[in-house]
């Protein structure tokens, strides 16, 4: 019973904390096609995200947590930190540029706090290339 008391104590502490904002980057399409390595993308975000006083590398001190599952990367940040969703879009685009995927993938806002990496829709306007 003592362990359950400790557990409830932690839960209460967690609820007393400031609320967190979660941003999700959904990379389902490129990951399924094995175009994008989600582990290296997560590492890139870990190294590059600037928090607090505009410095990289202090995510843990500011309480920012980056997690990933098979196709999604989630960035959880305390509400009062004022972490911007825009920075995630910027870093996502920079990562795609670095991996030379920027010509094929775009970063689109799926909802209020999520981005999706989608392929550009290529229409049948490439007749000239086909003739050559």
């Amino acid at each position: 019973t003592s362990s359950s008391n400790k557990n409830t104590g932690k839960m209460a502490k967690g609820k007393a904390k400031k609320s967190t904002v979660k941003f999700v980057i959904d990379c389902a399409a490129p990951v399924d096609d094995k175009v994008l390595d989600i582990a290296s993308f997560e590492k890139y975000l870990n190294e590059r995200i600037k928090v607090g006083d505009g410095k990289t590398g202090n995510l843990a001190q500011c309480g920012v947590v980056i997690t990933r599952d098979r196709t999604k990367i989630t960035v959880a940040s305390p509400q009062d930190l004022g972490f911007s969703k825009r920075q995630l879009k910027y870093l996502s685009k920079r990562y795609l540029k670095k991996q030379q995927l920027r010509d094929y993938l775009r970063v689109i806002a799926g909802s209020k706090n999520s981005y999706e990496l989608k392929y550009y829709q290529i229409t049948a306007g490439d007749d000239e290339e086909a003739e050559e």
Side-chain angles (χ1 to χ4, degrees), residues 30-45:
V31 169
D32 290 341
D33 296 344
K34 295 181 174 60
V35 174
L36 185 95
D37 178 22
I38 199 159
S40 74
F41 185 28
E42 182 195 23
K43 184 173 178 281
Y44 181 85
L45 290 176

Side-chain angles (χ1 to χ4, degrees), residues 5 9-10 12 19 28 33 39 68 74 89 92-95 106 109 111 129-130:
N5 286 344
K10 279 183 184 172
S19 59
D33 296 344
R68 72 179 154 93
T74 307
K89 183 171 189 176
S92 301
K93 286 163 97 169
R94 264 191 57 182
Y95 178 77
R106 57 194 294 204
S111 70
E129 291 175 14

Side-chain angles (χ1 to χ4, degrees), residues 21-23 45 49-52 59 64 66 75-88 91:
V21 185
K22 281 188 178 176
F23 299 106
L45 290 176
I49 287 179
K50 293 182 177 179
V51 215
L59 293 181
V64 176
I66 301 177
V75 180
S77 154
Q79 178 93 46
D80 56 347
L81 193 61
F83 185 80
S84 73
K85 181 183 169 193
R86 187 77 199 174
Q87 187 185 10
L88 279 182
L91 289 171

Side-chain angles (χ1 to χ4, degrees), residues 24-126:
V24 178
I25 303 174
D26 186 3
C27 315
V31 169
D32 290 341
D33 296 344
K34 295 181 174 60
V35 174
L36 185 95
D37 178 22
I38 199 159
S40 74
F41 185 28
E42 182 195 23
K43 184 173 178 281
Y44 181 85
L45 290 176
N46 260 315
E47 292 166 358
R48 299 294 199 297
I49 287 179
K50 293 182 177 179
V51 215
D53 52 0
K55 290 185 180 146
T56 59
N58 59 355
L59 293 181
Q61 296 96 299
C62 296
V64 176
V65 182
I66 301 177
T67 54
R68 72 179 154 93
D69 54 28
R70 203 177 67 76
T71 60
K72 287 188 174 107
I73 291 181
T74 307
V75 180
S77 154
Q79 178 93 46
D80 56 347
L81 193 61
F83 185 80
S84 73
K85 181 183 169 193
R86 187 77 199 174
Q87 187 185 10
L88 279 182
K89 183 171 189 176
Y90 168 74
L91 289 171
S92 301
K93 286 163 97 169
R94 264 191 57 182
Y95 178 77
L96 292 175
K97 182 77 175 164
K98 190 176 155 209
Q99 302 295 320
Q100 285 140 16
L101 296 170
R102 188 80 179 86
D103 297 336
Y104 312 105
L105 289 166
R106 57 194 294 204
V107 185
I108 299 176
S111 70
K112 186 173 171 286
N113 51 3
S114 77
Y115 281 120
E116 293 172 34
L117 297 186
K118 288 192 170 177
Y119 290 106
Y120 283 109
Q121 294 299 315
I122 297 160
T123 55
D126 303 333

Side-chain angles (χ1 to χ4, degrees), residues 11-18:
M11 289 299 285
K13 201 176 196 180
K15 283 181 180 167
K17 244 188 200 176
K18 298 271 190 289

